[in-house]
Amino acid sequence: MTGLRLALAEYWGDVWEAWNEFWFAPTAPAALSAIRVFAGAMLFYTHLVWSFDLSAFFGPNGWLPLDLYARERGYDLEGGHSYMWSLFQHIQSPTLLWTIHIVALVCFFLLTIGLFSRTTAVLSAFFAIMYATRVTPGAYFGLDKVNCMLAMYLMLGPCGARYSVDRLLNMRRGATGEVPTSTWANVAIRLIQLHMCAFYLFAGLGKLEGQTWWDGYAIWRSIASSEYQSIDVTWLGHYPHLMNLLAHGTVLFELFYPFLIWPRFTRPWMLATAVGMHLFIASCMGMITFGLAMLIGNLAFVKPATVRKVMDPLARRFALLLLGDRAGQSD
Amino acid sequence: MSTGGKKGDAPPRKQQPQKQQSSAGPSQGPSRTVRILVSVLLLLHVSALYLYPLANSRTSFTVRNIVQSPWLRWYGDPLYLNHGHGFFGPDPPDGFLVDYVVYDDQGKEVSKGTFPDPKEIWPRLRYHRFKMLADQLESPGRGMKEDRLRAYARQLIREHDGENAVVTERLHTIVPYEDWIGDEASGRKGKPLDDPSLYQTLTRVTQSRADVDAADAALESGAESVPAPIGPPEQIGPGGPLQ
């Protein structure tokens, strides 16, 4: 019995250690900071586009009037009470609506450039959820889910530690040393990673419920949809075997992403496939913002050292341009 | 490449003799108590991430009950976690279009169009929002489609300062591959993506300025019901001609 007890104690000790390492090992905040730059820009653009039709979508009347919204929000549609809430449910005045919109856009912009990063990250998550909730259902799609996910996790870690105005201001005050590693940067990155795995896993499982992802016609249905099409690639129809392989490859990629993205030998292949798939969706099916947002999420699987190799030279140029000698050797 | 910090930035894995000493994890960072508390929250959060998309119409009542329980919805709904991720699943969908005609008080046509229309609605993200307005007419909800269409009609009256609007939902079926490719042997020509036979008119509603005023008044007074329609929506059966 003592042997069994020791073995169990060792097992649980190992589990705790692995758990600790997975969630709480401090990591360099480079990847999180890079995600902040791109996700912030995506949030800014996404919400800037709402400006064309702000009152029509977010006002009390319009395409999605509030009374209909209250019913659709599912107060009893599914047999349960909805706890979804949007600030825009309570906004009647166009002036107030525009004021909130401008404040939100300023927040997203500040998040992108990394000024008051933690504060603007919290506010950006709040606003992103408020906008998405108000147009759900009605005008939402996958982009809103990815936007809200990225904004929500950015606020958990030091997303402005690098590639930010905050960093430049710190350097100006003489803090030109190495940016410290952070446990919360790791927590935020891990949550983005796990959320990305959920996206792909359930996208793959959902496709298994259909017929066309099995018989290969799904790619044809995707490229032949005039309403989605932005570049005509129906010439693929002359290569049915290629279309079938793309359909099967898509399902396999999505189903296996949550497993093969973790081992370092398979990770580059999964990321390369994600880049190919999302760029195809972005360019040929017109969902540029959604494709790019998913790629931003995939950045969470790129190690900070790799991110730094790409981002640091650019950041250094900015720092030298703005601070001159005070930028030192750091980024 | 490596994960966010595991190999490249995390401290090197400790050797066996140090293992017992470091069983609480890395010495940097939060205390063991904080880690345990945060771990519980992380477990709950990650469970929510995977439970919501699991709760589709075919899943067990156990999962559905969990997902519909106030305890989970209290957490997941406000954080916008309460949805699935069926991107282009189970099958890539057919397209939906909304045609409209707005008339003034003389019965003269003020505006006529269709959304989504890539030539009229830009940038692409904005086009996609209007595409969702058309597509999500078909999303679940008891009798909601007609109410949604009526809301669109009222909005078009507002936008174009009209008196009446007729709004029609149209289905654009994706051309089957075999029809598109045709058959050289039998001389059957391929069908284009926008062949008229692929379009089918589904539902048509009419709204007037009076409906707009009634809807606005109801909202201002806080009433939760949609104003009664002038008449039932026109249901157009399968095989309906292209407009």
Side-chain angles (χ1 to χ4, degrees):
Chain A
M1 283 303 284
T2 311
L4 182 62
R5 212 165 36 233
L6 279 174
L8 282 173
E10 189 179 357
Y11 169 76
W12 285 112
D14 286 348
V15 168
W16 176 241
E17 189 185 11
W19 178 269
N20 254 316
E21 189 174 306
F22 183 85
W23 287 107
F24 301 115
T27 188
L32 190 69
S33 300
I35 291 172
R36 188 211 76 244
V37 175
F38 299 121
M42 181 58 73
L43 285 163
F44 179 75
Y45 175 74
T46 303
H47 292 83
L48 184 66
V49 170
W50 280 127
S51 308
F52 283 98
D53 310 282
L54 191 68
S55 296
F57 278 93
F58 294 92
N61 300 315
W63 297 112
L64 309 166
L66 274 178
D67 47 6
L68 201 59
Y69 171 82
R71 281 167 56 200
E72 294 202 276
R73 270 280 30 83
Y75 284 117
D76 60 358
L77 283 181
E78 302 283 335
H81 180 84
S82 172
Y83 293 86
M84 286 183 88
W85 174 78
S86 173
L87 176 66
F88 296 109
Q89 288 168 235
H90 309 287
I91 307 298
Q92 302 275 337
S93 150
T95 311
L96 185 56
L97 181 64
W98 272 99
T99 306
I100 291 170
H101 185 57
I102 289 166
V103 170
L105 287 177
V106 169
C107 270
F108 296 137
F109 179 73
L110 293 181
L111 181 72
T112 310
I113 65 170
L115 181 59
F116 314 122
S117 305
R118 287 303 281 275
T119 308
T120 51
V122 174
L123 289 172
S124 296
F126 172 77
F127 283 123
I129 292 171
M130 292 301 104
Y131 279 85
T133 301
R134 177 65 180 91
V135 296
T136 305
Y140 80 109
F141 66 108
L143 170 69
D144 301 297
K145 302 173 188 178
V146 189
N147 270 348
C148 289
M149 179 272 283
L150 292 171
M152 186 165 64
Y153 297 137
L154 279 174
M155 70 180 182
L156 297 180
C159 61
R162 283 188 178 278
Y163 320 130
S164 63
V165 176
D166 286 341
R167 171 73 175 145
L168 286 175
L169 292 173
N170 283 338
M171 287 163 76
R172 199 174 164 190
R173 293 186 205 108
T176 53
E178 189 59 30
V179 175
T181 58
S182 161
T183 297
W184 295 106
N186 190 36
V187 170
I189 286 288
R190 292 303 193 193
L191 283 168
I192 296 174
Q193 291 172 338
L194 287 168
H195 212 130
M196 291 300 293
C197 288
F199 280 149
Y200 285 116
L201 176 66
F202 287 102
L205 289 173
K207 288 178 175 66
L208 290 183
E209 289 184 37
Q211 175 62 34
T212 57
W213 291 101
W214 286 100
D215 61 27
Y217 281 136
I219 296 297
W220 170 253
R221 287 185 63 83
S222 303
I223 61 177
S225 169
S226 307
E227 286 74 35
Y228 273 110
Q229 194 180 79
S230 49
I231 294 177
D232 185 355
V233 284
T234 46
W235 53 264
L236 275 172
H238 295 293
Y239 305 94
H241 290 299
L242 179 58
M243 285 201 304
N244 292 345
L245 287 174
L246 285 172
H248 301 321
T250 302
V251 176
L252 286 174
F253 165 75
E254 292 184 338
L255 286 176
F256 285 98
Y257 180 97
F259 309 101
L260 297 181
I261 196 68
W262 303 101
R264 63 195 175 101
F265 294 112
T266 49
R267 187 179 311 128
W269 297 100
M270 298 309 283
L271 289 176
T273 309
V275 169
M277 186 174 85
H278 289 301
L279 288 184
F280 179 84
I281 291 170
S283 56
C284 300
M285 299 176 67
M287 288 189 285
I288 304 159
T289 43
F290 172 71
L292 293 179
M294 288 297 279
L295 291 180
I296 294 168
N298 272 289
L299 254 183
F301 284 101
V302 179
K303 75 174 184 179
T306 308
V307 170
R308 290 191 62 182
K309 275 183 195 160
V310 177
M311 297 286 287
D312 280 13
L314 293 170
R316 192 173 292 120
R317 280 189 192 181
F318 265 109
L320 284 170
L321 189 70
L322 295 173
L323 299 180
D325 291 342
R326 277 179 293 182
Q329 292 300 308
S330 189
D331 310 296
Chain B
M1 290 187 190
S2 170
T3 56
K6 183 172 181 180
K7 295 286 177 191
D9 298 274
R13 196 180 174 85
K14 292 172 179 62
Q15 298 301 310
Q16 198 62 28
Q18 294 172 309
K19 201 168 165 183
Q20 283 182 331
Q21 189 187 352
S22 64
S23 62
S27 57
Q28 295 169 268
S31 68
R32 177 187 275 243
T33 311
V34 172
R35 284 170 200 232
I36 291 170
L37 285 174
V38 172
S39 296
V40 171
L41 294 175
L42 288 169
L43 269 174
L44 291 173
H45 178 78
V46 174
S47 301
L49 294 187
Y50 284 79
L51 276 169
Y52 271 115
L54 198 61
N56 58 36
S57 57
R58 295 164 65 167
T59 198
S60 71
F61 64 84
T62 309
V63 170
R64 280 205 305 277
N65 285 349
I66 293 172
V67 167
Q68 286 178 2
S69 77
W71 297 102
L72 189 63
R73 299 187 75 167
W74 170 90
Y75 179 75
D77 286 10
L79 290 180
Y80 203 62
L81 300 174
N82 55 341
H83 39 63
H85 309 306
F87 307 128
F88 279 75
D91 293 303
D94 289 322
F96 290 91
L97 299 163
V98 174
D99 301 317
Y100 62 87
V101 188
V102 182
Y103 302 95
D104 66 11
D105 55 358
Q106 306 295 314
K108 191 179 158 195
E109 201 175 284
V110 177
S111 181
K112 182 178 182 180
T114 297
F115 67 80
D117 180 355
K119 293 190 188 92
E120 296 290 326
I121 306 174
W122 64 272
R124 183 72 187 194
L125 174 57
R126 184 167 170 248
Y127 164 86
H128 215 81
R129 296 294 183 190
F130 279 89
K131 174 165 171 48
M132 291 300 107
L133 281 182
D135 285 357
Q136 289 176 30
L137 283 169
E138 294 296 321
S139 60
R142 287 190 296 265
M144 297 299 276
K145 182 164 86 170
E146 291 77 18
D147 289 338
R148 289 171 186 145
L149 270 176
R150 286 185 195 105
Y152 297 173
R154 294 196 297 271
Q155 175 60 15
L156 287 160
I157 291 172
R158 285 188 201 99
E159 283 192 358
H160 299 285
D161 197 22
E163 188 63 28
N164 290 289
V166 179
V167 171
T168 309
E169 180 199 21
R170 205 153 42 104
L171 168 70
H172 178 195
T173 307
I174 294 169
V175 60
Y177 176 71
E178 292 77 8
D179 291 357
W180 176 80
I181 200 81
D183 184 11
E184 273 186 31
S186 65
R188 184 167 55 89
K189 280 188 177 176
K191 198 184 269 187
L193 303 184
D194 57 352
D195 190 272
S197 66
L198 298 168
Y199 293 86
Q200 181 188 331
T201 301
L202 297 179
T203 307
R204 182 175 292 136
V205 300
T206 303
Q207 291 279 273
S208 67
R209 172 60 66 178
D211 296 313
V212 175
D213 295 340
D216 292 350
L219 272 172
E220 274 180 29
S221 67
E224 286 223 345
S225 62
V226 176
I230 293 172
E234 185 184 348
Q235 297 291 346
I236 298 152
L242 170 69
Q243 280 199 333

